[in-house]
Amino acid sequence: MHMPVELPTTEARLADADILTAVARLFAQPKGVGAARIATACREGIVELTGFTDSLLARQRAAELVKAIRGVRGVLNELCVRTPHVPDGELRRRVQQALALAPAVRSYAVDCRACAGAVTVEGIVQSWAEVQLVLQVLFGVPGLRQVHNHLVVRGGALNNSDAEITTQIQAFLAWDIRVVSARVEVLTSDGIVYLTGAVGSAAEHDQVVATAYVAGARCVKASELHVAYWAQDPALSRQKFTPPADAEVAQAIQDAFRYDPRLGSLLPTVQVRAGVVTLLGTLSNLRARQAAEQDARNVVGTCQVHNLLKVRSTRPEPDAHIQAQVQAALLHDPYVSHRSFEVRVTNGRVQLAGVVADHFDRERAADVAAGINGVVEVANHVHLAAAPGTQVAPDTGEAVPPTQVPFSREGVNAQLAQRLHQHYQWSALLHSQPIELGVRAGRVTLSGTVGSWLARQQAVSGAYACGATEVNNHLRILAAKRESEGLPKLVP
């Protein structure tokens, strides 16, 4: 329910020194950001990142990780990208190849020019969301240090009136589990959206701004949308996540599909029963199948998703060609290029095998394979090199010699439990969730209740990032009693 914004007269803030300690602790985990080369400073909750990373993906990820920390009001990202020099012709070829291989953007009318490690991308797309898809592909190109975005958006969404855009944004925010705050005001004038009020984290702030653009905003002004620690009111969170009627959930998911360019024109069929969502139909690529499930999980009222979507490529590729493309993508990926993988392909189904140092690299390898055209399924058999309790060097993945590590199984379990408690305490999303931990031989058991599927997912990823070798996830999503009053309807 839309509520008027009431700002407190005195804003409580966490101490900058404590925030910096939390940032340092986060960067110490293996998350693909090259944290050893990043310097941090913090003033009144605004974190400044300086130094350098080895890819645009790592630069972006570093800022995203910091924005999810409790008390961070914003990030000033001054990180530079340092990579070996790539000649302009070769860099342009890499960019064109990346765009051609990505199923979601391969049909876009996009051109590019390369100069001294920077790429200028030009063309016409249908929406702001399509621009983001193109940029995300470019960020993963090795050797690219900077992107100049000259893409032009010419789509039907801009034909909505100001009132329709405002209503659409309000409805999207109400249905999105990633936006907890009810203290956001929306005003649209001549296609320009003005956001005011307060949200509980910098990550939530970004999501609200992105939602406004997705809904058709020509420009978004969010300087008066403040990030405030007090805006994460657990009572309001419980109110928002009161499960709506199944028919309303199904309609909200279908509306989310209509605004997601990754899915194409043939949208999945959605069935909902007691909050359990079933997705049916056929999509053209594996990334679209994954995106549909993600869209469904991000809708308030979704308790579980049965993804029965099939993948049938409009342009089938021979298995040998798919295998070569997956191997090349892994070899040139900014995160896992230094790892060795075995790739097998049968009827478009990819099997990955190999050894990596951490869970992040394992998941990244599967994600890279899923992004290749013609792949219909990925079976991830990549495993971690470290045995429970073993410390590894973050750059090489090699075990640290026992003589350098005072080993005690009980001590290792206690250290892992302490890291997890600190991680959850400083997570903007998880700090108020009643999560119970059990640690044994590097294996973490999570129990208790959380407010949403997103919190459940982040609790698991946080456990792996802190060093868990295995996670038994028994977290339950707190379901309130269903009420007859539904959430706002989306604009057709």
Side-chain angles (χ1 to χ4, degrees), residues 340-345 349-356 361-363 365-367 369 377-385:
S340 296
F341 300 95
E342 180 182 351
V343 181
R344 296 181 180 179
V345 183
R349 291 171 171 81
V350 175
Q351 295 191 57
L352 288 179
V355 179
V356 295
D361 284 353
R362 181 181 187 275
E363 295 302 304
D367 185 58
E377 183 181 325
V378 176
N380 192 353
H381 303 302
V382 175
H383 65 273
L384 304 183

Side-chain angles (χ1 to χ4, degrees), residues 151-222:
L151 292 171
V152 176
V153 176
R154 291 181 184 171
L158 293 181
N159 293 327
N160 287 345
S161 68
D162 288 343
E164 288 173 332
I165 292 174
T166 296
T167 301
Q168 187 73 81
I169 295 171
Q170 290 170 339
F172 272 140
L173 295 178
W175 280 103
D176 194 337
I177 66 171
R178 295 165 294 183
V179 179
V180 177
S181 177
R183 296 180 169 93
V184 179
E185 293 282 356
V186 182
L187 174 66
T188 307
S189 176
D190 194 25
I192 301 176
V193 172
Y194 298 87
L195 301 172
T196 59
V199 292
S201 71
E204 190 175 352
H205 184 282
D206 281 2
Q207 184 59 39
V208 173
V209 172
T211 298
Y213 276 116
V214 168
R218 181 166 58 86
C219 179
V220 178
K221 304 289 187 180

Side-chain angles (χ1 to χ4, degrees), residues 365-402:
D367 185 58
V368 170
I372 300 302
N373 188 57
V375 174
V376 300
E377 183 181 325
V378 176
N380 192 353
H381 303 302
V382 175
H383 65 273
L384 304 183
T390 303
Q391 292 192 13
V392 297
D395 293 333
T396 65
E398 298 178 354
V400 177

Side-chain angles (χ1 to χ4, degrees), residues 229-303:
Y229 172 55
W230 52 262
Q232 292 180 321
D233 188 337
L236 290 176
S237 175
R238 287 191 294 270
Q239 179 183 0
K240 170 165 183 169
F241 293 118
T242 298
D246 288 339
E248 294 179 332
V249 175
Q251 185 60 55
I253 294 173
Q254 290 169 341
D255 290 326
F257 287 169
R258 289 192 297 111
Y259 280 79
D260 190 340
R262 296 172 294 181
L263 303 187
S265 57
L266 296 178
L267 300 181
T269 299
V270 181
Q271 298 176 353
V272 184
R273 183 174 182 180
V276 178
V277 176
T278 301
L279 303 179
L280 301 166
T282 302
L283 295 174
S284 62
N285 62 83
L286 182 55
R287 278 278 173 82
R289 182 181 189 272
Q290 295 171 338
E293 180 173 339
Q294 188 75 52
D295 288 344
R297 290 189 182 277
N298 286 339
V299 170
V300 170
T302 298
C303 299

Side-chain angles (χ1 to χ4, degrees), residues 305-321:
V305 176
H306 293 158
N307 191 346
L308 303 184
L309 290 167
K310 298 178 180 179
V311 177
R312 185 173 301 154
S313 177
T314 56
R315 296 172 56 183
E317 303 282 359
D319 288 342
H321 179 75

Side-chain angles (χ1 to χ4, degrees), residues 8-33:
T9 55
T10 303
E11 180 181 350
R13 293 178 181 172
L14 299 176
D16 289 339
D18 292 338
I19 293 174
L20 279 178
T21 299
V23 172
R25 189 183 300 119
L26 183 74
F27 279 170
Q29 301 167 1
K31 285 182 176 274
V33 297

